[in-house]
Amino acid sequence: MTLAMQQRSRLSRWLRRSVWLLLALIIAPIAAVALLVGRVWLGQPELDGERMVPGLGAEVTIARDSLGVVHIKAATEQEACLLYTSPSPRDLSTSR
């Protein structure tokens, strides 16, 4: 093997390693940001929708005011307590 071929081989090896390092330095932060954004986005509780709760005799409404305080409107105090003590969608989403 001549000196020129050895130098070309070293340069080629160095260039390949540099490209892999550059790709790793670009892809790793993008993957980290995607993971964090996904974790935050998917970790949010579902605030809208309907849910069936066994034991309720009438429709019960749950609303949040501008400060995030939960207000429960039910036909009876028992139904409000039953709904208040049942697992919320936030509790169910964290148990996955």
Side-chain angles (χ1 to χ4, degrees):
M1 200 178 234
T2 66
L3 183 60
M5 290 176 68
Q6 287 178 348
Q7 286 177 342
R8 216 175 311 147
S9 176
R10 282 189 208 145
L11 180 63
S12 175
R13 201 173 329 138
W14 180 82
L15 188 59
R16 273 186 272 141
R17 288 180 184 164
S18 298
V19 167
W20 281 112
L21 180 64
L22 185 61
L23 283 174
L25 290 175
I26 291 172
I27 292 173
I30 292 173
V33 167
L35 182 66
L36 288 173
V37 168
R39 181 77 173 142
V40 169
W41 185 271
L42 296 174
Q44 296 297 315
E46 186 178 331
L47 298 177
D48 297 328
E50 295 181 5
R51 192 165 157 225
M52 299 297 293
V53 177
L56 291 179
E59 185 174 314
V60 177
T61 305
I62 300 176
R64 293 180 187 262
D65 61 15
S66 60
L67 298 175
V69 178
V70 177
H71 299 276
I72 300 174
K73 295 179 185 174
T76 66
E77 190 174 337
Q78 282 183 323
E79 289 177 343
C81 290
L82 176 67
L83 193 62
Y84 184 74
T85 58
S86 69
S88 69
R90 171 182 242 161
D91 296 335
L92 296 175
S93 68
T94 57
S95 65
R96 285 189 242 172

